[in-house]
Amino acid sequence: MSKSKGNVVTPDQVVAEQGADALRAYEMFISDFEQATPWNTNGLGGTYRWLRRVWELLLTVSHDHAVDASTEPADRALRRIMHKTIKKVSSDIEGFRFNTVISAMMEFTNAITDAQGKASKAAFDEARDALLLLLAPIAPFMAEEIWTRQGHPYSIHQQKWPPFDAALAADEMMTLPVMVNGKVRDRVELPVGTNEADAKDVALKLPNVQKHLAGKTPSQVIYVAGKMVSVVVR
Amino acid sequence: MANARNTKTAKAAKTAKKPTRRVENARRSVPAVRGPVSKSAKYIPQEFEQEWMKRWEADALYKTMPADERPKAYILDFFPYPSGDGLSVGHCRNYVPTDVLSRYYRMNGYNVLHPMGWDAFGLPAENAAIKLKTNPAKLIDQFSANYKRQFRLIGISFDWSREINSSKPEYYRWTQWIFLQLYKSWYDPRVDSARPISELEMELAEKGTRDVPNTLPLTAAQWNAMSVRERREFLSNFRLAYRKAALVNWCPKDKTVLANEEVVDGRCWRCDSLVEKKTLMQWFFRITAYADRLIADLDTIDWPEHIKLMQRNWIGRSEGAEVNFPLDGGQWTVDSSDHQPLTTDHSITVFTTRPDTLWGAMFGVLAPEHPLVEKLTTPERKAQVDAYVAQAKIKTEADRTAAEKDKTGVFIGAYATNPVNGERIPIWVADYVLMGYGTGAIMACPAHDERDFAFALKFGLPILPVIARTDGLAKSFALGGTMRDGFADALRAEQIPFEEKQSSLYITIPPAKLDRYVELAQLFVQPGKWNEIVGARWLFVFGPGDVQTFGGAESERRILARCHELEPNVRGKRTVMEMLHTVEFYRDALFHTGYGAMINSGEFSGTPGDVAAKRVTEWLEKTGKGKARVNYKLRDWGISRQRYWGTPIPIIHTDEGEVPVDEDKLPVKLPNVESYEPTATGESPLATIARFVNVKLPDGTKGRRETDTMGTFACSSWYFLRFTDPNNAQAAFDKSEVAYWLPVDMYVGGAEHAVMHLLYARFWTKALHDLGYVPFVEPFKRLRNQGMILAPDGK
């Protein structure tokens, strides 16, 4: 991009058309920070539309479902993705991986949208509040405007970053490969924290594992916690 | 500032529709008011974005507080030269991420320093001012105001109360101050640190240079007998900022000095004249004193590996030996009565990283600028040599040293003696040797250096392999008709692989089969023909029991004579290697740079490659023929610019030598002038301003101010320190603020500065550390380089 080539895109043009926040989000999203990449005017529409969805989600969507037994799984799932997003956005900003910051934020936006009517108001609002705080460094103008319209005291840029809770971010289920004589023969879904005996027990009962055992007794069963089950048979 | 803020907030409060309430805040309390009210419930960013920026600025929301108990984060962009073109979306690629990071750290409770300023001095502004017939200071104000407007437009949270402009006297006063600290210091290799020059003066008065390693010999008596001027001149060999005669680019038509960047393909960028090299007095910073520390400390910082590698290569540390080649004086004292006769103790000193290849040194090459060229050239060679030297002067270094470039050079008529084997070798001048690297003279070992190989081949100079191949590659080309029938079958039976093309055999001999192959070749070679083996061995098989080894000058003569006699086609070939090189199949086996065992090297033959260089160096030192030496590609940093728009160098020239301007007389201000055009004499336009140039010193003597200005890399070598305390009128910075904020936690900018700014800033930081001004040795803990944003058309 250079003046002599007559192909310069200025921030003034972009701000006039899509706004400064969309420009900022696109500058982050465009590619790996250290990689050369062409400016794509259509790509900018993508970040603009995402911000517009966030705007609507935070200012115009209302949601009144009280906490009860029916909201519990959705609440847990929403909190989990919320804490995962807080962690990812934090570590990616620190690690200069800005493009994945934006994609994580987009996924979080989708998850909140999908939780409408399933999660409780408490969990839903908690997620929306976190989304807004995470948005503040990325889209500072819009974050301030929404913050004010929501009736919060000025300024969002003097608020604390949302806290991360590892326990709430933890997955509930894990999927482990089960190997027989070094080859993956099946997969097993288990609650996180399943003990060794139970994991081995469930794995050995899998139909595909049974098939490959062909009636023989395994000479060895190894459980690598949270990673895999390996069966050896002679 | 405070008044303006109160007025604005009060006004905002009055127009607010919601009732106001006070909110406590960790850092300050501000009246809570509604921001500008949008008309629309829809997302229309233009309705509110710029209103918020005004509000944040009015409230100084991003103002950085001085050092406190909070953890700190110093996040810095390379400060830009504000160009008239303004920012493009490409430039925003580093400013947005660093802003996101700054805002993130603020929300995490850090005290964040995220400032911005202007790298305002330098040619772009000066040239723009000349073109627009205006003052560069005015242009900078105008351009930086536009940058600032654009930064606000995209919501960058700089603390503008810390804005700095390197062309303002309030800033460059301290650039001059640091110049003086370097001027008043020297590097003491015994303690690996910069020290006050006054301490060196004391030592010289007492002991001379007796205890100072690698320096000019001087006794205390000699020092004490020196005049003030002589002492000042002597000390410039030590100062970290010093003046010396140096080659510069000179445009003969414009009569001006050009920066390297202004020389395009050896021509002036303005008038297209061929650029010449000219010697002028120039100021330098002694960055070479810090070469080892600049390499070692790279391991302590989190920077992209490619930038570290570029710095290491730029510094270019190599271990090797300096070797003296005695000159063959007799040769031309006989021929030239008008020359001063040289005695045999005169010698050419060369630097080599491969002392193990000394036995293969077949000729010497001097850089065209080497002072011995003029002294040694014989009268009958003079015209040719002078023409060559004149032509070499206008080429760039890159042009001269490109490996793929056709080699040029001229024999100067003189000879030297290879000290390891007594061989008499011719001396050439060639532009692929640079004056600035090593000693400006090389021993050419064509069998093991790519450029020397190409040079020797072109000029028919002998090439002798003196290092064994490490890959064992051995080849033989059996031209059709040179071997008896059945040779191919015999090779097959021995499992020696070959290709057959047009009845010629292209044979690659496995190491284990070499002896067997030599036997077969003797059996099958036709009378009156020969077969050769190259690579792992160098043999010429002329017949049964008639095998000649190529291993020195004598064998080369013998082999060539026989080949010339047997084969008319090779009679034009001047050397064995030239003859072998005509066979394309041989080319990868003729030359190598590996570290194999020594061969053809007298009693050193057989010395294993991993210890060869070391053993030869030890022997050179023991026999007084040479000594171990570390060499660097890095040169001292030239900062003189004969231009107006830069920091004036705070030195006064008197009849008794240089005198530094008193620190309390700083800044030496840039005078307002009518014209910024470079002068016809090659001096800075400042030289034409009598009221600037002529000064009277406190003792009444008259002096002449230095009229060179400093290149802008001086300004940018310390601005990151100034941001911590930008308005300090008493000092460059407050030591405790610098100790709190530095090193920079995240530094972001373009990779094009890898070996300029990023190296210079490290050097100044280390010098300031040695002198006790900063408590750290590396200024930038983490560095990231943004990728370029290309236009939508991919350019």
Side-chain angles (χ1 to χ4, degrees):
Chain A
M1 202 174 272
S2 78
K3 199 186 176 189
S4 61
K5 293 183 192 132
N7 55 11
V8 174
V9 181
T10 66
D12 307 60
Q13 291 163 252
V14 178
V15 170
E17 285 163 27
Q18 274 107 343
D21 286 332
L23 170 70
R24 291 172 62 101
Y26 186 60
E27 293 277 1
M28 294 169 71
F29 191 52
I30 190 161
S31 77
D32 285 348
F33 180 72
E34 303 199 333
Q35 198 182 316
T37 189
W39 187 258
N40 182 342
T41 309
N42 298 332
L44 201 61
T47 55
Y48 174 79
R49 283 190 296 277
W50 166 59
L51 291 177
R52 197 176 57 194
R53 284 206 296 127
V54 172
W55 173 275
E56 283 158 12
L57 182 64
L58 295 182
L59 283 178
T60 60
V61 172
S62 66
H63 187 82
D64 288 321
H65 210 304
V67 183
D68 62 30
S70 73
T71 67
E72 209 215 332
D75 285 358
R76 264 212 316 273
L78 191 55
R79 286 200 172 96
R80 187 159 60 240
I81 186 164
M82 174 180 126
H83 283 280
K84 280 188 170 178
T85 306
I86 293 169
K87 182 169 189 210
K88 179 153 182 68
V89 168
S90 306
S91 67
D92 283 1
I93 287 177
E94 288 177 27
F96 252 58
R97 294 178 296 271
F98 297 99
N99 52 341
T100 51
V101 166
I102 300 296
S103 47
M105 288 289 282
M106 288 175 167
E107 282 170 33
F108 186 32
T109 308
N110 292 343
I112 301 174
T113 308
D114 292 348
Q116 280 180 72
K118 296 174 201 152
S120 68
K121 175 175 167 50
F124 191 74
D125 287 347
E126 195 184 320
R128 290 202 297 187
D129 290 348
L131 179 68
L132 183 57
L133 289 169
L134 295 178
L135 191 70
I138 302 163
F141 298 108
M142 179 178 137
E144 188 79 289
E145 180 71 16
I146 295 172
W147 183 257
T148 306
R149 289 192 187 206
Q150 286 179 340
H152 293 295
Y154 172 89
S155 159
I156 190 169
H157 300 299
Q158 292 168 314
Q159 304 306 311
K160 282 208 164 65
W161 192 245
F164 165 69
D165 185 328
L168 293 175
D171 283 313
E172 295 177 348
M173 302 298 283
M174 55 184 183
T175 307
L176 306 184
V178 182
M179 320 218 311
V180 181
N181 290 345
K183 281 191 179 149
V184 178
R185 296 301 183 187
D186 215 330
R187 286 173 202 282
V188 61
E189 181 140 317
L190 294 168
V192 169
T194 302
N195 68 31
E196 184 169 350
D198 291 348
K200 286 179 177 173
D201 194 44
V202 177
L204 287 172
K205 284 180 186 149
L206 291 170
N208 253 340
V209 173
Q210 284 293 320
K211 193 177 122 197
H212 283 94
L213 286 176
K216 287 185 226 164
T217 309
S219 55
Q220 210 182 352
V221 183
I222 302 156
Y223 173 62
V224 183
K227 294 274 193 290
M228 63 162 194
V229 181
S230 179
V231 183
V232 183
V233 63
R234 295 229 164 75
Chain B
M1 186 69 201
N3 280 343
R5 191 199 311 172
N6 291 344
T7 323
K8 278 193 183 176
T9 2
K11 207 168 162 189
K14 261 184 231 165
T15 54
K17 289 186 182 164
K18 276 198 172 179
T20 56
R21 38 195 171 136
R22 294 196 72 83
V23 189
E24 288 309 309
N25 174 276
R27 281 154 55 188
R28 73 183 70 88
S29 91
V30 290
V33 290
R34 279 200 31 104
V37 179
S38 290
K39 295 183 185 82
S40 175
K42 286 186 179 157
Y43 177 51
I44 302 172
Q46 294 80 0
E47 286 185 351
F48 56 81
E49 284 186 346
Q50 298 317 310
E51 293 305 313
W52 277 120
M53 186 40 98
K54 284 181 203 154
R55 171 75 192 277
W56 296 330
E57 296 247 316
D59 294 346
L61 192 66
Y62 305 117
K63 187 169 166 58
T64 302
M65 296 294 129
D68 62 23
E69 72 292 342
R70 281 177 291 168
K72 63 90 185 181
Y74 186 178
I75 296 154
L76 185 64
D77 302 291
F78 290 16
F79 80 153
Y81 157 70
S83 103
D85 300 341
L87 294 168
S88 74
V89 293
H91 296 114
C92 300
R93 188 164 194 200
N94 58 321
Y95 298 120
V96 168
T98 48
D99 186 61
V100 171
L101 193 67
S102 302
R103 291 172 175 277
Y104 166 80
Y105 277 114
R106 282 193 204 103
M107 290 178 80
N108 277 283
Y110 285 74
N111 194 6
V112 171
L113 177 55
H114 187 43
M116 181 44 64
W118 318 109
D119 191 7
F121 271 140
L123 279 176
E126 186 173 338
N127 288 337
I130 290 170
K131 204 170 142 196
L132 300 170
K133 301 203 185 325
T134 180
N135 187 311
K138 272 187 204 156
L139 275 190
I140 291 293
D141 286 346
Q142 186 188 324
F143 295 167
S144 63
N146 185 44
Y147 266 50
K148 202 164 165 179
R149 179 192 63 78
Q150 288 183 300
F151 281 132
R152 287 176 167 139
L153 193 66
I154 61 170
I156 305 296
S157 61
F158 292 133
D159 173 3
W160 288 109
S161 72
R162 292 181 185 242
E163 177 179 353
I164 57 181
N165 174 335
S166 64
S167 66
K168 298 266 192 235
E170 298 76 31
Y171 182 88
Y172 69 66
R173 168 183 183 175
W174 302 109
T175 310
Q176 292 173 338
W177 177 83
I178 297 175
F179 176 96
L180 290 181
Q181 304 317 303
L182 297 172
Y183 180 78
K184 293 172 186 172
S185 308
W186 69 295
Y187 199 84
D188 186 345
R190 295 166 297 188
V191 290
D192 240 332
S193 176
R195 292 175 60 191
I197 199 95
S198 55
E199 295 177 13
L200 177 64
E201 290 178 80
M202 282 191 282
E203 182 172 337
L204 292 175
E206 207 181 302
K207 298 190 268 188
T209 55
R210 192 183 65 204
D211 298 343
V212 185
N214 298 324
T215 193
L216 308 158
L218 185 87
T219 64
Q222 284 172 316
W223 167 261
N224 292 323
M226 278 180 170
S227 69
V228 172
R229 188 190 177 90
E230 284 167 339
R231 284 188 191 176
R232 284 178 177 152
E233 278 169 9
F234 186 78
L235 289 177
S236 68
N237 293 304
F238 294 86
R239 296 182 189 277
L240 292 185
Y242 68 97
R243 195 165 173 248
K244 71 171 179 190
L247 282 177
V248 293
N249 301 307
W250 178 256
C251 173
K253 182 157 174 286
D254 288 354
K255 294 198 169 24
T256 184
V257 171
L258 300 174
N260 285 333
E261 296 77 13
E262 295 173 321
V263 182
V264 181
D265 297 327
R267 291 174 180 275
C268 171
W269 65 319
R270 262 194 295 254
C271 68
D272 216 31
S273 316
L274 279 174
V275 173
E276 294 172 359
K277 298 279 187 189
K278 185 173 174 159
T279 303
L280 283 182
M281 291 300 282
Q282 302 276 295
W283 284 93
F284 291 86
F285 290 130
R286 203 179 298 279
I287 189 173
T288 49
Y290 284 83
D292 282 336
R293 285 168 65 184
L294 287 168
I295 294 174
D297 292 346
L298 283 174
D299 294 337
T300 68
I301 47 183
D302 173 12
W303 285 22
E305 275 310 314
H306 67 276
I307 302 287
K308 290 189 186 184
L309 186 66
M310 281 170 80
Q311 292 212 345
R312 283 193 195 100
N313 290 344
W314 186 259
I315 296 166
R317 183 183 199 276
S318 49
E319 288 180 13
E322 236 174 45
V323 190
N324 296 320
F325 281 60
L327 283 166
D328 186 352
Q331 162 72 18
W332 56 264
T333 47
V334 174
D335 296 340
S336 56
S337 51
D338 55 342
H339 278 76
Q340 288 289 321
L342 279 181
T343 54
T344 47
D345 62 351
H346 279 74
S347 62
I348 299 178
T349 304
V350 305
F351 172 79
T352 175
T353 57
R354 294 294 303 269
D356 53 330
T357 65
L358 267 167
W359 281 259
M362 311 309 279
F363 52 97
V365 187
L366 301 174
E369 302 84 4
H370 199 294
L372 281 178
V373 171
E374 215 191 315
K375 286 187 188 161
L376 298 182
T377 301
T378 53
E380 66 274 17
R381 296 269 166 188
K382 193 172 182 325
Q384 211 191 346
V385 170
D386 285 353
Y388 182 78
V389 169
Q391 195 204 9
K393 275 186 178 168
I394 59 173
K395 290 195 203 168
T396 66
E397 243 174 56
D399 282 349
R400 283 170 54 170
T401 55
E404 65 277 9
K405 184 205 89 157
D406 190 30
K407 295 287 168 285
T408 62
V410 178
F411 174 47
I412 66 169
Y415 291 84
T417 302
N418 186 337
V420 301
N421 57 8
E423 295 273 349
R424 191 160 170 265
I425 63 171
I427 306 301
W428 287 62
V429 55
D431 65 8
Y432 76 98
V433 176
L434 301 177
M435 196 57 218
Y437 179 72
T439 60
I442 62 158
M443 59 150 199
C445 182
H448 306 289
D449 179 278
E450 194 179 356
R451 283 191 286 246
D452 296 347
F453 185 81
F455 190 89
L457 213 55
K458 177 168 174 183
F459 293 105
L461 295 161
I463 300 169
L464 175 68
V466 290
I467 301 292
R469 296 189 71 90
T470 50
D471 59 5
L473 179 68
K475 287 186 165 187
S476 183
F477 166 64
L479 181 69
T482 59
M483 306 305 271
R484 292 178 207 276
D485 293 345
F487 185 55
D489 290 335
L491 292 177
R492 272 187 209 102
E494 290 292 340
Q495 292 181 313
I496 294 171
F498 63 91
E499 268 186 67
E500 189 166 359
K501 274 183 262 175
Q502 292 158 346
S503 76
S504 294
L505 306 185
Y506 296 81
I507 309 150
T508 303
I509 312 158
K513 303 280 185 187
L514 265 169
D515 292 335
R516 184 64 191 135
Y517 180 86
V518 177
E519 287 168 25
L520 287 178
Q522 292 177 66
L523 287 174
F524 282 91
V525 69
Q526 293 273 22
K529 306 286 180 191
W530 78 88
N531 179 252
E532 70 263 328
I533 295 119
V534 308
R537 287 196 202 167
W538 301 90
L539 300 173
F540 284 75
V541 180
F542 291 97
D546 186 1
V547 180
Q548 301 286 324
T549 301
F550 167 51
E554 181 48 39
S555 61
E556 172 143 35
R557 273 190 290 276
R558 218 167 40 230
I559 291 165
L560 264 186
R562 290 187 69 176
C563 295
H564 285 175
E565 191 192 327
L566 295 172
E567 177 54 62
N569 279 340
V570 302
R571 277 177 201 159
K573 302 300 165 199
R574 297 160 289 185
T575 64
V576 165
M577 278 294 181
E578 192 185 10
M579 183 171 74
L580 296 175
H581 196 259
T582 57
V583 181
E584 199 154 341
F585 175 63
Y586 283 156
R587 289 192 185 165
D588 61 344
L590 299 182
F591 153 87
H592 76 94
T593 55
Y595 287 81
M598 293 171 71
I599 55 173
N600 299 326
S601 302
E603 48 192 278
F604 276 90
S605 294
T607 309
D610 54 345
V611 294
K614 192 168 162 271
R615 287 205 192 146
V616 172
T617 305
E618 283 165 5
W619 176 79
L620 288 170
E621 289 197 323
K622 207 168 64 191
T623 54
K625 292 173 175 177
K627 60 181 181 195
R629 198 184 123 168
V630 176
N631 196 52
Y632 301 89
K633 278 189 196 152
L634 183 69
R635 326 236 174 114
D636 280 340
W637 163 19
I639 51 146
S640 274
R641 299 290 179 271
Q642 291 73 29
R643 301 293 292 233
Y644 168 75
W645 192 235
T647 304
I649 293 175
I651 293 287
I652 295 164
H653 301 286
T654 72
D655 291 342
E656 300 218 307
E658 298 158 359
V659 181
V661 173
D662 283 346
E663 287 179 19
D664 58 12
K665 294 268 165 48
L666 298 178
V668 176
K669 279 197 190 172
L670 209 50
N672 283 319
V673 292
E674 295 298 316
S675 164
Y676 313 105
E677 295 276 5
T679 67
T681 58
E683 286 179 303
S684 152
L686 292 176
T688 63
I689 305 167
R691 69 188 152 84
F692 176 80
V693 174
N694 299 319
V695 284
K696 207 174 209 178
L697 289 148
D699 64 3
T701 56
K702 282 181 181 168
R704 191 183 148 78
R705 235 181 245 294
E706 172 62 58
T707 55
D708 283 356
T709 54
M710 288 184 235
T712 53
F713 284 119
C715 313
S716 57
S717 287
W718 76 282
Y719 78 104
F720 43 91
L721 303 173
R722 185 67 178 172
F723 274 135
T724 67
D725 192 16
N727 303 311
N728 194 331
Q730 268 66 53
F733 45 80
D734 181 281
K735 279 190 190 179
S736 62
E737 287 293 327
V738 157
Y740 173 78
W741 286 111
L742 272 282
V744 172
D745 296 280
M746 179 57 88
Y747 195 36
V748 177
E752 68 275 14
H753 291 289
V755 290
M756 307 283 272
H757 162 60
L758 289 171
L759 195 63
Y760 299 149
R762 294 181 61 220
F763 157 51
W764 273 35
T765 300
K766 288 174 196 302
L768 290 172
H769 168 267
D770 289 355
L771 299 173
Y773 293 109
V774 302
F776 46 88
V777 295
E778 284 292 335
F780 315 122
K781 200 155 61 183
R782 280 176 91 196
L783 172 77
R784 292 294 179 270
N785 307 116
Q786 77 275 11
M788 222 195 309
I789 295 269
L790 310 168
D793 57 12
K795 285 173 192 156

